[in-house]
Amino acid sequence: MSTEPSNRRPAVIVDDVHVKYKVFATGKRPSDADRKVLSVRGRGKQMRTVHALRGVSFTAYENDSIGVIGTNGSGKSTLMRAIVGLTSTSSGSIYAQSRPSLLGVGAALLRDLSGERNIILGGLAMGLTMREIEESYDDIVSFAGLEKFIDLPMRAYSSGMTARLKFAIASTRTHEILIVDEALAVGDRTFRKRSEARIREIRDNAGTVFLVSHSMQSIKDTCSRVIWLDQGTLVMDGEPDEVIAAYQEAQDK
């Protein structure tokens, strides 16, 4: 298990967090309309409760870059959404020294607008001034590798181009707490290396970074610590090589 550093401030404290939600037996979460129908009829599609997180506790510190690993359905994205505040905890508490920023492949960009317009809107949404956006514009376009396509509407972009632009926009400013959910899974090796270097830069500027990824190499190259989740439970928290080795050994059984 990782030891608590004595010379760094806690950035995020996750204290005995549980997350439960109801889904149809098919696995789909009920919509508001579904809930109304079920409450009126008193019956309908069979429901079951998913216990997505089960008593997860850990502390993230300034300058931590934490890899979050686990198989699909292990609770990784649920945990990240709970830290950001997008998913409510059923019990337990999460404390953060500043508002966490979530960068995921599902982050919204407007498909009918050009990449250029999305850079402006994305920058404004993050609280940047027009002057700051103008100063960062060329770096964002270059980082994403979209110099030839930035005037085109986003609907003309491939999924990889879209994800690169999202990462470039979100990482152009300094984040005290940044959560990156699978955003490095797209793009070529050159872009992944640039992205990993940007994450390390954010971390070195007293930021705290969470990286959710299925790429163990990206985790090793980027993170100073790894958390392993399995079926909503924190199995291990420690040095990347140690945790990844244990995780891969468990997958091979």
Side-chain angles (χ1 to χ4, degrees):
M1 300 294 286
S2 62
T3 58
E4 296 186 2
S6 59
N7 59 341
R8 289 187 289 155
R9 292 190 303 166
V12 177
I13 298 173
V14 177
D15 182 18
D16 194 25
V17 166
H18 290 257
V19 171
K20 299 178 183 179
Y21 54 84
K22 292 186 179 296
V23 298
F24 291 127
T26 59
K28 177 185 175 183
R29 291 200 193 194
S31 66
D32 290 340
D34 293 327
R35 293 189 183 94
K36 290 178 181 178
V37 170
L38 290 172
S39 65
V40 170
R41 295 179 180 174
R43 62 178 62 190
K45 296 181 181 179
Q46 185 177 357
M47 301 288 292
R48 64 185 180 93
T49 299
V50 174
H51 201 160
L53 294 178
R54 302 170 180 265
V56 175
S57 297
F58 65 89
T59 300
Y61 295 86
E62 290 179 338
N63 298 114
D64 268 349
S65 51
I66 301 175
V68 184
I69 64 175
T71 57
N72 290 333
S74 61
K76 303 186 301 296
S77 293
T78 299
L79 175 60
M80 297 301 102
R81 289 176 62 84
I83 291 174
V84 174
L86 295 176
T87 294
S88 299
T89 60
S90 302
S91 64
S93 302
I94 298 176
Y95 308 94
Q97 70 173 5
S98 62
R99 184 176 181 83
S101 301
L102 173 64
L103 169 63
V105 293
L109 290 178
L110 301 180
R111 288 174 49 81
D112 290 335
L113 298 183
S114 66
E116 177 183 6
R117 299 298 297 175
N118 272 286
I119 290 174
I120 294 171
L121 292 176
L124 292 173
M126 291 192 303
L128 299 179
T129 65
M130 281 301 300
R131 180 175 180 179
E132 289 172 327
I133 294 171
E134 290 170 1
E135 291 173 348
S136 303
Y137 179 83
D138 289 342
D139 177 64
I140 292 172
V141 175
S142 176
F143 190 93
L146 295 175
E147 293 91 342
K148 297 180 180 179
F149 307 97
I150 202 63
D151 294 331
L152 296 178
M154 291 291 299
R155 63 175 179 272
Y157 288 18
S158 67
S159 59
M161 293 164 68
T162 300
R164 295 203 309 269
L165 184 58
K166 290 174 184 176
F167 185 91
I169 294 171
S171 64
T172 191
R173 60 167 295 181
T174 300
H175 298 267
E176 292 187 25
I177 303 170
L178 177 64
I179 296 172
V180 183
D181 193 347
E182 293 292 357
L184 301 187
V186 298
D188 56 20
R189 179 179 176 84
T190 300
F191 176 74
R192 289 197 297 272
K193 291 299 182 184
R194 287 203 303 269
S195 302
E196 290 164 2
R198 180 66 63 86
I199 289 175
R200 288 191 292 269
E201 180 182 331
I202 293 170
R203 176 197 67 197
D204 293 342
N205 287 328
T208 302
V209 180
F210 293 88
L211 173 61
V212 180
S213 179
H214 288 287
S215 170
M216 297 301 106
Q217 191 58 53
S218 288
I219 295 284
K220 288 181 179 180
D221 290 344
T222 309
C223 299
S224 56
R225 175 180 166 192
V226 172
I227 288 173
W228 168 18
L229 294 177
D230 182 53
Q231 297 182 27
T233 300
L234 196 157
V235 177
M236 197 171 180
D237 174 4
E239 295 292 327
D241 288 343
E242 180 182 356
V243 178
I244 289 173
Y247 171 70
Q248 292 177 328
E249 181 179 352
Q251 301 312 300
D252 292 338
K253 290 182 179 179

